[in-house]
Amino acid sequence: MNIVQFIVSMLLFFVLFFGISFLLNMILRSSWLMAFVYPVIVLFIVDDFPMTNYFSSPGSAFPTVFEQVINLKLVDIVILASGFVGTIVAGIIIKKLRKSGYQMF
C-alpha cells in the first residue's frame, strides 16, 4: 500500500464513521452509541467467515477473530483507529451542539 492509498483510507474511514455516528447520535439521542458499537464493527470487518459462525460455533469463532485482530498490520490498525477517532469526534460535536442549544430531532 502506498502513502496516498494509506492517507485516503484513513480519511475515508474517519469521514464514514463520523457521518454514521453523527446521524445515529442525532436520531437516537445518545452521544456515545457508536463508540461502543465500533469494536463489534471492527470484528466484522476483520473476520473472514460468515456471521452465523458466531452463533453456531462461538468456541472457535471468537478465538479465531481475536487472533486475526492481533495479527493485523500497523497500517490496518491505524486505518481502523481513524474510524474510531471519527466516532469519538462525532460524539464530541453532538455534545457541543446540544450544549449550544441546537435540538436535533
Side-chain angles (χ1 to χ4, degrees):
M1 174 181 288
N2 65 27
I3 191 73
V4 175
Q5 288 175 332
F6 177 64
I7 292 172
V8 168
S9 296
M10 283 177 44
L11 184 64
L12 265 169
F13 263 70
F14 180 85
V15 170
L16 176 77
F17 284 103
F18 176 85
I20 292 170
S21 178
F22 190 85
L23 289 173
L24 280 177
N25 289 338
M26 185 172 55
I27 292 170
L28 299 176
R29 293 187 149 296
S30 66
S31 299
W32 304 110
L33 176 69
M34 270 301 284
F36 294 114
V37 174
Y38 187 75
V40 175
I41 294 171
V42 168
L43 291 180
F44 290 141
I45 291 172
V46 172
D47 70 358
D48 58 350
F49 45 83
M51 191 178 359
T52 56
N53 283 7
Y54 289 108
F55 302 107
S56 63
S57 60
S60 65
F62 284 106
T64 304
V65 76
F66 288 132
E67 182 180 325
Q68 290 174 347
V69 168
I70 290 171
N71 293 330
L72 285 175
K73 295 180 181 170
L74 180 63
V75 174
D76 298 327
I77 292 171
V78 171
I79 291 170
L80 291 171
S82 67
F84 185 66
V85 170
T87 63
I88 299 297
V89 171
I92 292 169
I93 297 292
I94 283 285
K95 284 193 90 60
K96 286 189 180 203
L97 284 172
R98 286 193 182 127
K99 192 174 185 180
S100 298
Y102 289 96
Q103 292 182 352
M104 290 145 283
F105 298 150

